[in-house]
Amino acid sequence: MLKNLRLKTQLGLGFAAVVALFLATLVCIAQRVAHLEAGIRYLSDDDLPMLLAVDRMDLSRSEVQQFLTDVAATHDPAAFAEADAAAKDYAEASQQVRAVLSREQDQTQLKALDRMDADFKAFHDSGRTMAEAYISDGIEAGNRLMKGSAGQPGFDQASEQIASQIEAFRETQLARTRRSVEDDLAQVLHIERTMLVGGALATLVATVFAV
């Protein structure tokens, strides 16, 4: 059928077909690139900063425990201010995490964050009470609050419980980060495949019209 057409017509049809394939391939690649860009932007602007903020929360928990334990051991109230500063840093990191989760409307993780924040406040308050007991009431009274009793977790146990909550929260976010990275890698593979298929089809069409 093509042989019955004039050479000029054959070349025109071949050129038009190759251009159409090129444009179709370009549109497909542009869509994949846009998806990939959105995924990378999410990792850069939301996901990674949130994971760093969660790590700050855990560091602040550890610092609060350390500073209030220092007060209990040395009876020097100066470390109260350092513990309060660490608690403030926890609150700032928590707000950063909350802002991201609110944009995503992730109610499950927001509720988990609410529980952590409430438990952290109780932990900080109980730590101050424990340290003050060491100073004013002596070692035995302070030890009771540090170690806790049946049905009433002590200061150290409360710290461990919050650490476990933060770790579980971090693992959930890490799992989502991994899925996001895997999705981005899949987009890269789709782009490569689209380029190869588009190039092969264009070559095939050009060859058909050239014969």
Coordinates of all heavy atoms in Angstrom, one line a residue, residues 11-25 198-199 201-207 209:
L11 N 7.3 10.0 2.7 CA 8.2 10.7 3.7 C 7.4 11.6 4.6 O 7.6 11.6 5.8 CB 9.2 11.5 2.9 CG 10.2 10.8 2.1 CD1 11.1 11.7 1.3 CD2 11.1 9.9 3.0
G12 N 6.3 12.2 4.1 CA 5.5 13.1 5.0 C 4.8 12.3 6.0 O 4.7 12.7 7.2
L13 N 4.2 11.1 5.6 CA 3.5 10.3 6.6 C 4.4 9.7 7.6 O 4.1 9.6 8.8 CB 2.8 9.1 5.8 CG 1.5 9.5 5.0 CD1 1.0 8.3 4.2 CD2 0.4 10.0 5.9
G14 N 5.6 9.3 7.1 CA 6.6 8.7 8.0 C 7.0 9.8 9.1 O 7.1 9.5 10.3
F15 N 7.3 11.0 8.6 CA 7.7 12.0 9.5 C 6.6 12.4 10.5 O 6.9 12.5 11.7 CB 8.0 13.3 8.7 CG 8.5 14.5 9.5 CD1 9.7 14.5 10.1 CD2 7.6 15.5 9.8 CE1 10.1 15.6 10.9 CE2 7.9 16.6 10.6 CZ 9.2 16.6 11.1
A16 N 5.3 12.4 10.0 CA 4.2 12.7 10.9 C 4.0 11.6 12.0 O 3.8 11.9 13.2 CB 2.9 12.9 10.1
A17 N 4.2 10.4 11.6 CA 4.1 9.2 12.5 C 5.2 9.3 13.6 O 4.9 9.1 14.8 CB 4.1 7.9 11.8
V18 N 6.4 9.6 13.2 CA 7.5 9.6 14.1 C 7.3 10.8 15.1 O 7.5 10.7 16.3 CB 8.8 9.8 13.4 CG1 10.0 10.1 14.3 CG2 9.2 8.5 12.6
V19 N 6.8 11.9 14.6 CA 6.6 13.1 15.4 C 5.5 12.8 16.4 O 5.6 13.1 17.6 CB 6.2 14.3 14.6 CG1 5.7 15.5 15.5 CG2 7.4 14.8 13.8
A20 N 4.4 12.1 16.0 CA 3.3 11.8 16.8 C 3.8 10.8 18.0 O 3.4 11.0 19.1 CB 2.2 11.1 16.0
L21 N 4.6 9.8 17.6 CA 5.1 8.9 18.6 C 6.0 9.7 19.6 O 6.0 9.4 20.8 CB 5.9 7.8 17.9 CG 5.1 6.6 17.4 CD1 6.0 5.7 16.6 CD2 4.5 5.9 18.5
F22 N 6.8 10.6 19.1 CA 7.7 11.4 19.9 C 6.9 12.2 20.9 O 7.2 12.3 22.1 CB 8.6 12.3 19.0 CG 9.4 13.3 19.8 CD1 10.6 12.8 20.5 CD2 9.1 14.6 19.9 CE1 11.4 13.7 21.2 CE2 9.8 15.5 20.7 CZ 11.0 15.0 21.3
L23 N 5.8 12.9 20.4 CA 5.0 13.7 21.3 C 4.3 12.9 22.4 O 4.2 13.3 23.5 CB 4.0 14.5 20.5 CG 4.6 15.6 19.6 CD1 3.5 16.2 18.8 CD2 5.3 16.7 20.4
A24 N 3.8 11.7 21.9 CA 3.1 10.8 22.9 C 4.1 10.4 24.0 O 3.7 10.3 25.2 CB 2.5 9.6 22.2
T25 N 5.3 10.0 23.5 CA 6.3 9.6 24.5 C 6.7 10.7 25.4 O 6.8 10.5 26.7 CB 7.6 9.1 23.8 OG1 7.3 8.0 22.9 CG2 8.6 8.7 24.8
G198 N 9.3 4.1 23.3 CA 9.0 5.2 22.4 C 10.1 5.2 21.3 O 9.8 5.4 20.1
G199 N 11.4 5.1 21.7 CA 12.4 5.1 20.7 C 12.4 3.9 19.8 O 12.6 4.1 18.5
L201 N 9.7 2.2 18.9 CA 8.5 2.3 18.0 C 8.8 3.4 16.9 O 8.4 3.2 15.7 CB 7.3 2.7 18.8 CG 6.6 1.7 19.7 CD1 5.5 2.2 20.5 CD2 6.1 0.5 18.8
A202 N 9.5 4.5 17.3 CA 9.8 5.5 16.3 C 10.7 4.9 15.3 O 10.6 5.2 14.0 CB 10.4 6.7 17.0
T203 N 11.7 4.1 15.7 CA 12.7 3.5 14.8 C 11.9 2.5 13.8 O 12.2 2.5 12.6 CB 13.7 2.7 15.5 OG1 14.4 3.6 16.4 CG2 14.7 2.1 14.6
L204 N 11.0 1.7 14.4 CA 10.2 0.8 13.6 C 9.4 1.5 12.5 O 9.4 1.1 11.4 CB 9.3 0.0 14.5 CG 8.4 -1.1 13.8 CD1 9.3 -2.1 13.1 CD2 7.5 -1.7 14.8
V205 N 8.7 2.6 12.9 CA 7.9 3.3 12.0 C 8.7 3.9 10.9 O 8.4 3.9 9.7 CB 7.1 4.4 12.8 CG1 6.4 5.4 11.8 CG2 6.0 3.8 13.7
A206 N 9.8 4.5 11.3 CA 10.7 5.1 10.3 C 11.2 4.1 9.3 O 11.3 4.3 8.1 CB 11.9 5.8 11.0
T207 N 11.5 2.9 9.8 CA 12.0 1.8 8.9 C 10.9 1.3 8.0 O 11.2 1.1 6.8 CB 12.5 0.6 9.8 OG1 13.5 1.0 10.7 CG2 13.0 -0.5 8.9
F209 N 8.4 3.1 6.8 CA 8.2 4.0 5.7 C 9.4 4.2 4.8 O 9.2 4.7 3.7 CB 7.8 5.4 6.3 CG 6.4 5.5 6.7 CD1 6.0 5.2 8.0 CD2 5.4 5.9 5.8 CE1 4.7 5.3 8.4 CE2 4.1 5.9 6.2 CZ 3.7 5.7 7.5

